[in-house]
Amino acid sequence: VEMTAVAAPGWEFDSWSDPLQPQQPQIEVVSSGAPYGVTANFRPGAGAGMVIHEINYNSSASFDPGDWVELYNNSATAMDLSGWSFEDSAASWTVPAGTIVPSGGRLVLAQDLNQFTAVYGGGFGALGDLGFGFSGGGELLRLRNDTGVLVDEVNYDDSPPWPTEPDGNGPTLQLTDPNWNNNAGASWQASGAVGGNPGS
């Protein structure tokens, strides 16, 4: 029987409960006829705690900073995001070297940095240009660390249980609590303000 340990976002394979098994994510177990069980153990991966926290995927016509996403460091330590990648379903963008996000800090990644700054002003420490926007009908967004390990992903939508107001009506999509499952529509809300709250 071929077994593969698949880590959830933010986690990585650690070991199998049976020390006689090769300690690698994929193993082959040969049956001896006797009952046998083995458990895959995981540990927090590099970057565990960095979450996709706010998404502007379809601005209103009267307030259009372009698409952007906010990352939030929900860990107790600063994180170096140098070489990390942010992806949508068709493209990827690499975070520049020297990008540090403090504990409790936020980082905005903008589709078009000039357009974002023209609307919100400076002082956000926003990065860009992503060179790609997000679908108004829902899309899978992913964050990977510098070794390619999946840290977080959100497959947002513009229909319930996801809030519908962020789809062209002005608000952004905001995670209600950074400790909640951010891949569940019920964990998100429409921002209280037109244009959301990037960086805060």
Side-chain angles (χ1 to χ4, degrees):
V1 177
E2 192 173 88
M3 302 179 70
T4 302
V6 179
W11 295 79
E12 60 188 25
F13 173 76
D14 181 68
S15 63
W16 294 101
S17 58
D18 182 350
L20 300 179
Q21 291 294 342
Q23 298 303 311
Q24 58 195 33
Q26 191 168 23
I27 60 173
E28 188 174 286
V29 177
V30 179
S31 173
S32 66
Y36 177 79
V38 65
T39 301
N41 300 308
F42 300 91
R43 61 177 177 257
M50 187 63 67
V51 297
I52 297 171
H53 191 261
E54 187 171 1
I55 304 168
N56 186 58
Y57 66 85
N58 188 11
S59 302
S60 70
S62 60
F63 191 94
D64 187 7
D67 293 349
W68 55 267
V69 64
E70 178 189 80
L71 309 178
Y72 175 71
N73 183 354
N74 196 34
S75 76
T77 59
M79 286 195 192
D80 184 351
L81 271 58
S82 302
W84 285 35
S85 62
F86 176 73
E87 309 166 353
D88 72 355
S89 55
S92 178
W93 181 82
T94 303
V95 179
T99 303
I100 309 293
V101 181
S103 173
R106 292 167 166 81
L107 176 65
V108 174
L109 307 179
Q111 174 188 11
D112 183 318
L113 194 55
N114 287 334
Q115 185 177 354
F116 178 89
T117 304
V119 172
Y120 292 108
F124 288 93
L127 298 178
D129 299 304
L130 295 180
F132 57 89
F134 316 139
S135 170
E139 188 171 16
L140 177 61
L141 303 179
R142 288 187 168 124
L143 181 65
R144 297 184 188 274
N145 70 14
D146 57 345
T147 62
V149 172
L150 182 64
V151 172
D152 193 25
E153 65 179 4
V154 174
N155 195 8
Y156 73 88
D157 204 347
D158 64 345
S159 59
W162 293 84
T164 58
E165 298 90 345
D167 191 10
N169 297 310
T172 59
L173 193 60
Q174 285 186 332
L175 186 62
T176 305
D177 186 310
N179 296 302
W180 292 1
N181 176 8
N182 70 346
N183 214 14
S187 298
W188 293 78
Q189 63 186 0
S191 63
V194 171
N197 304 288
S200 65

